[in-house]
Amino acid sequence: MKKLVALAMALVMMLSVASLALAETPKVKLIVWSFTDELRGMIDKYYVPTHPDVEVEYVLYPTDGSEYRNKLDTVIATAPTGDEAPDVFALEAAFVKYYVNSDITAPLADLGFTDADYANSIPAMVQIGTDSRNGQLKATAWQSTPGAMFYRASLAEKYLGVTTPEEFQEKVKDWDTFMETAEEINEASEGAVKMFNSIGDIWNAYQYNRDAGWVVDGKLNIDPVLYDYLDLTKMAEEEGLYNMGTAWNETWFLGMKSDTTLTYLLPTWGLHYVLKPNCGNYDAATDAKIEGAEGTYGDWRMVDGPVGYSWGGTWLGANAYKAAEADDAKKAVIKEFINFFTLDEDFLYQYAKDSGDFVSNNNVVNKIVAEGGTPNPFLGGQDHYAAFATAANLADGTIMTEYDDAINTLWSDNVTTPYIKGEKDLDTAIADFKAAVAAAFANITVE
Amino acid sequence: MSKLAADSQRRQKRFSKVDYSRYGYYFVAPFFIVFLIFQLYPIFFTFRTSLSDAIGWGKINNSVIIGFQNFKMYLDPASPLFNDFWNSFGNTLIIWTANFIPQILMALLLASWFTDSRMQLKFRGGFKMLIFMPNIITAATIAVLFYSIFNYPIAPANSFLQQAGLMNAPFEFFRSVVASRSLISFVQWWMWYGNTMIILIAGIMGISPELYEAALVDGCTSRQTFYFITLPLIKPILLYNLVTSMIGGLQMFDIPHLLTEGNPNKTTNTVARFIYQQAFTGSRNFNYASAASVILFLFIVLASLTLFWLMRDKDAVRELKRRGR
């Protein structure tokens, strides 16, 4: 009995010593805010195993109805350094500019990053993550989301006599040629096949033809090229050159599985999560074609299209208020978190290999392309990684402003739609648009 | 034990019995605490914000009172918000009226049927449940449902109209002012007439059955009982319905926001949507949004008072006056 007690005492002492030893290296807590599960999955899979000394608290608010933004804005306005406030937050393309163009997001240089760290990053993603006011980089992305043009090989051959992607690119090399091709296919197919499905498809790419964004030096800027855009869309509407769809509606998805639409302008994620699952004969469980079913699997090819553009993406930025009062150890953890996910080439390579996602680093992209890339049966064996690799470096991220999301909606509601449908003349539409911008933004000068 | 001690003991006993009333306060306390924090304080904060320069999240906690300047935005025709605001006000009234008149008529009709002892309707409970059902479904679900039904160019409504031979080409419902407003009014009507009906049934059930029995004995028709007994006696309930529906209608937000987003050309933009857009989109103009909320609040107060005054029981007022003088 005595022996047992002595043994128990010894065990207790050993355990307490052991727990003291464990307590000596306390974990650094890092609060990360995001709006999807995506980053959480990446943290669990890649970050936690390699960073045992960091305890990540993941907070998720959905972006629907701007809940994420309202939560973030409120916490920054009330208690930016409080226990609730994030150390690092994820930023979506729709609002990344708002946060990097403000003092909410810390300059990466303050965390110890140098220009060399992101020298190999894809330029558009760096441009978008840069504060337009002073040129400081504030947020970086792990993905790159270049856009491309996808087209139906069989329809192109049948009606246009085009057999290779190179030939097709010649048919859509700029917007004038694009519209000529649109008329050609409409005539050749007697109206059965349209060039594109919705006006929104064109807008996503066309806006990258502008020389400057919506707001320049605090003033509303309507780039002259936008009037060409209105001519183009009006002509498409009047001549019936598109399917009259609206992005994400039934008509839009129908065009993907039937012989009614020739092209779609979609980015990297659009290929995997929009076009492929909606092609009619794709089986998600086996990631392959369903033989015998009706659909368009394998009939799609991709080209750069009339203009290089970017659509979507997720950036990581650090809370400037928390970074300012963090000690060196905490600062190092914040830096490493951003570095690991967005700049670390080993991680990006592994992640690209595992997920097929298109990453933001040219070295990694080129390495994957050099290794033989990713021949994609959905694209008839065409390598989408190689094709996106060229498209990714075409987009100009500098035209993005913090107002884009709101002003794009005002533009489409007040100008594009009413004008091309003949509800308003051009002058009224532009005047209404200017009034709407003035009403929405007290801080933009409208002339 | 002295008499005095016994007395005080008895008094204590009586006292402790009386003291139970404080538990009443404990039970109502949670409501008042929640009300003070989440309703009364925000209301005062809105009034304060409407007088301040709070534009953007950064200024919400350190705004300065600037007086009634924000209200000028809605009173001066040259301001950028004037047209939008009053336009949305008009839209709200049009959409609410178009939904309320059929709603009250339908609810009255159904309520009188369900309470008519001579009709002997079967499956009353089942019918009531079915009629009330749309009110339980969330607005978001209903908006998505109607959006997909009335979409363009390929959607169930258009397919039906074309196959039935009523139309040659697909019709763009959400680009037509009349169709968009009608759809919103219809959804509002469809969601709320069950609710109104239940309240009216409760009102009719509260009428003494003796009156109906007497009417039956006197040989009244169903129509006569409805017009001369039911209708006059549920007037207070009708007034209650009218006022609550007007308050709810002027704050209409979810269906227009989710179904049409104010389109086409802002003709389905409502006041609540205007306030939301000022406060939570663009440059976050909390002060202008609060000023608009205050105007809406004053309008609702005035309109409710007017309704109460118009619908006052004139006979009772006359009777009171006659007796008093």
Side-chain angles (χ1 to χ4, degrees):
Chain A
M1 191 62 198
K2 250 184 192 171
K3 267 185 191 166
L4 258 175
V5 172
L7 195 70
M9 294 279 276
L11 267 173
V12 167
M13 275 172 73
M14 271 168 67
L15 277 173
S16 57
V17 170
S19 67
L20 270 177
L22 277 176
E24 265 174 69
T25 52
K27 284 188 171 187
V28 179
K29 195 171 146 191
L30 189 73
I31 305 175
V32 179
W33 277 29
S34 183
F35 42 82
T36 61
D37 259 337
E38 191 183 11
L39 184 58
R40 192 205 313 255
M42 289 161 66
I43 290 171
D44 290 345
K45 193 170 172 191
Y46 303 101
Y47 184 81
V48 172
T50 50
H51 299 77
D53 52 332
V54 181
E55 185 194 340
V56 177
E57 186 187 321
Y58 193 82
V59 184
L60 188 149
Y61 294 111
T63 41
D64 299 341
S66 61
E67 188 189 345
Y68 181 75
R69 285 198 60 180
N70 285 339
K71 292 271 185 202
L72 193 55
D73 288 338
T74 320
V75 81
I76 295 290
T78 51
T81 57
D83 293 337
E84 300 264 296
D87 295 303
V88 176
F89 39 75
L91 298 167
E92 198 191 36
F95 49 78
V96 59
K97 268 299 182 191
Y98 173 82
Y99 291 97
V100 300
N101 285 0
S102 75
D103 297 331
I104 297 167
T105 318
L108 292 186
D110 289 3
L111 294 168
F113 285 99
T114 59
D115 287 356
D117 289 329
Y118 35 84
N120 297 319
S121 295
I122 284 169
M125 303 316 263
V126 175
Q127 285 157 352
I128 294 169
T130 301
D131 189 335
S132 320
R133 301 173 304 172
N134 51 25
Q136 288 177 321
L137 182 66
K138 290 194 169 169
T140 49
W142 64 83
Q143 281 173 328
S144 169
T145 51
M149 178 177 268
F150 297 87
Y151 74 96
R152 290 282 304 281
S154 62
L155 298 178
E157 188 171 351
K158 186 174 171 190
Y159 297 112
L160 304 172
V162 167
T163 49
T164 65
E166 289 74 23
E167 278 176 62
F168 192 81
Q169 175 61 24
E170 273 307 300
K171 288 270 190 191
V172 294
K173 62 177 193 257
D174 53 47
W175 291 108
D176 288 339
T177 328
F178 176 87
M179 288 307 278
E180 280 164 24
T181 312
E183 286 180 312
E184 188 182 340
I185 190 130
N186 194 39
E187 274 163 36
S189 68
E190 289 168 348
V193 183
K194 305 292 186 188
M195 186 69 178
F196 58 101
N197 198 293
S198 82
I199 296 290
D201 293 354
I202 301 296
W203 172 257
N204 287 320
Y206 203 100
Q207 54 175 325
Y208 279 83
N209 284 86
R210 295 176 298 172
D211 288 330
W214 276 124
V215 179
V216 178
D217 300 328
K219 279 186 204 149
L220 178 67
N221 167 50
I222 302 178
D223 199 287
V225 82
L226 292 178
Y227 293 98
D228 299 339
Y229 166 77
L230 291 176
D231 289 343
L232 182 156
T233 47
K234 181 129 182 130
M235 172 178 160
E237 177 83 22
E238 282 171 353
E239 294 185 22
L241 301 180
Y242 75 109
N243 297 91
M244 308 273 171
T246 306
W248 319 109
N249 81 358
E250 203 169 329
T251 312
W252 197 66
F253 286 120
L254 186 71
M256 295 180 183
K257 53 177 161 267
S258 64
D259 292 346
T260 53
T261 310
L262 180 66
T263 72
Y264 278 90
L265 285 151
L266 290 167
T268 42
W269 49 266
L271 167 65
H272 299 289
Y273 301 111
V274 183
L275 194 55
K276 198 151 96 175
N278 290 295
C279 72
N281 54 351
Y282 168 70
D283 182 23
T286 57
D287 190 27
K289 183 179 180 176
I290 305 171
E291 294 301 334
E294 256 184 60
T296 59
Y297 191 97
D299 193 34
W300 294 92
R301 300 289 181 274
M302 65 183 278
V303 292
D304 292 339
V307 61
Y309 68 103
S310 175
W311 178 8
T314 307
W315 283 257
L316 289 178
N319 178 347
Y321 303 96
K322 277 202 154 178
E325 64 172 38
D327 55 20
D328 287 349
K330 180 71 181 273
K331 227 177 216 177
V333 168
I334 297 174
K335 182 192 173 192
E336 169 57 13
F337 187 85
I338 295 176
N339 180 59
F340 180 79
F341 281 110
T342 64
L343 302 169
D344 185 308
E345 292 184 6
D346 293 334
F347 160 74
L348 289 173
Y349 176 77
Q350 191 56 45
Y351 172 67
K353 278 290 188 189
D354 292 348
S355 67
D357 218 348
F358 192 82
V359 293
S360 61
N361 186 296
N362 270 324
N363 278 359
V364 176
V365 169
N366 292 337
K367 189 173 166 191
I368 292 171
V369 172
E371 280 171 3
T374 46
N376 192 335
F378 178 75
L379 299 173
Q382 198 184 358
D383 177 5
H384 70 267
Y385 231 91
F388 277 127
T390 53
N393 291 295
L394 294 175
D396 173 14
T398 57
I399 59 150
M400 234 180 147
T401 72
E402 61 192 273
Y403 312 102
D404 283 11
D405 199 33
I407 299 188
N408 284 348
T409 309
L410 295 178
W411 173 256
S412 138
D413 284 356
N414 289 290
V415 184
T416 316
T417 314
Y419 172 65
I420 68 172
K421 293 194 185 286
E423 297 165 11
K424 285 181 192 172
D425 62 42
L426 187 59
D427 292 342
T428 319
I430 297 286
D432 286 353
F433 169 66
K434 286 179 175 169
V437 173
F441 291 96
N443 53 346
I444 295 178
T445 316
V446 180
E447 285 169 350
Chain B
M1 198 186 279
S2 73
K3 191 172 175 280
L4 205 73
D7 251 14
S8 89
Q9 217 173 23
R10 208 177 305 136
R11 205 177 300 141
Q12 255 179 2
K13 239 182 211 167
R14 208 188 307 140
F15 232 84
S16 63
K17 219 182 240 167
V18 171
D19 227 31
Y20 279 125
S21 66
R22 70 194 152 103
Y23 290 105
Y25 293 111
Y26 293 161
F27 280 115
V28 293
F31 165 76
F32 278 99
I33 293 167
V34 170
F35 172 78
L36 287 175
I37 298 174
F38 293 108
Q39 296 219 293
L40 200 64
Y41 170 68
I43 289 171
F44 280 116
F45 191 70
T46 304
F47 275 98
R48 193 201 171 271
T49 311
S50 74
L51 301 174
S52 76
D53 63 345
I55 292 184
W57 281 106
K59 284 215 113 184
I60 195 89
N61 280 337
N62 45 21
S63 59
V64 179
I65 301 279
I66 54 166
F68 289 91
Q69 281 179 34
N70 298 325
F71 289 91
K72 270 191 200 148
M73 284 295 202
Y74 305 113
L75 302 173
D76 171 17
S79 100
L81 302 181
F82 183 84
N83 281 335
D84 267 12
F85 178 73
W86 293 109
N87 179 24
S88 62
F89 219 106
N91 296 336
T92 315
L93 288 176
I94 291 171
I95 295 171
W96 174 71
T97 315
N99 116 74
F100 184 73
I101 293 171
Q103 181 186 316
I104 201 86
L105 291 178
M106 187 77 177
L108 265 177
L109 181 70
L110 289 171
S112 67
W113 280 353
F114 281 123
T115 51
D116 194 329
S117 53
R118 271 180 289 195
M119 295 236 330
Q120 296 298 342
L121 272 183
K122 280 181 184 152
F123 312 116
R124 283 183 198 196
F127 277 121
K128 279 184 204 167
M129 196 193 73
L130 281 178
I131 289 165
F132 194 74
M133 195 86 94
N135 203 270
I136 301 170
I137 312 170
T138 54
T141 316
I142 293 179
V144 170
L145 176 73
F146 275 78
Y147 181 75
S148 10
I149 291 178
F150 290 96
N151 217 310
Y152 173 85
I154 301 163
N158 269 315
S159 307
F160 172 78
L161 287 173
Q162 281 170 285
Q163 275 167 20
L166 296 167
M167 270 183 188
N168 298 324
F171 179 67
E172 206 167 357
F173 289 94
F174 294 118
R175 287 316 299 177
S176 151
V177 180
V178 175
S180 302
R181 283 177 176 166
S182 308
L183 278 173
I184 295 173
S185 295
F186 177 80
V187 173
Q188 293 282 352
W189 168 83
W190 183 63
M191 280 178 78
W192 289 100
Y193 80 99
N195 187 65
T196 312
M197 179 195 77
I198 299 283
I199 295 172
L200 291 183
I201 288 178
I204 295 174
M205 303 281 257
I207 298 171
S208 166
E210 289 162 19
L211 292 173
Y212 288 107
E213 281 160 17
L216 201 63
V217 171
D218 287 348
C220 275
T221 60
S222 281
R223 180 175 294 211
Q224 282 170 325
T225 5
F226 178 75
Y227 279 113
F228 298 111
I229 298 177
T230 312
L231 213 48
L233 286 172
I234 59 164
K235 212 167 135 187
I237 304 283
L238 281 178
L239 175 64
Y240 164 80
N241 253 322
L242 181 60
V243 172
T244 49
S245 168
M246 189 199 65
I247 294 172
L250 285 170
Q251 298 174 351
M252 193 191 308
F253 175 76
D254 42 14
I255 296 292
H257 185 63
L258 294 163
L259 189 60
T260 62
E261 295 177 341
N263 281 322
N265 302 320
K266 297 177 187 162
T267 50
T268 60
N269 207 13
T270 61
V271 183
R273 231 192 139 254
F274 171 87
I275 293 169
Y276 168 82
Q277 284 190 308
Q278 279 297 312
F280 297 108
T281 64
S283 52
R284 308 292 195 272
N285 308 328
F286 298 113
N287 54 347
Y288 302 149
S290 300
S293 303
V294 171
I295 294 178
L296 180 63
F297 170 78
L298 293 176
F299 181 85
I300 289 176
V301 170
L302 277 176
S304 306
L305 289 176
T306 315
L307 282 177
F308 274 113
W309 183 76
L310 282 175
M311 302 273 288
R312 74 193 182 282
D313 195 339
K314 284 161 197 142
D315 292 338
V317 173
R318 214 173 294 136
E319 183 75 2
L320 263 177
K321 268 188 184 165
R322 198 173 57 83
R323 276 191 206 167
R325 299 271 151 84

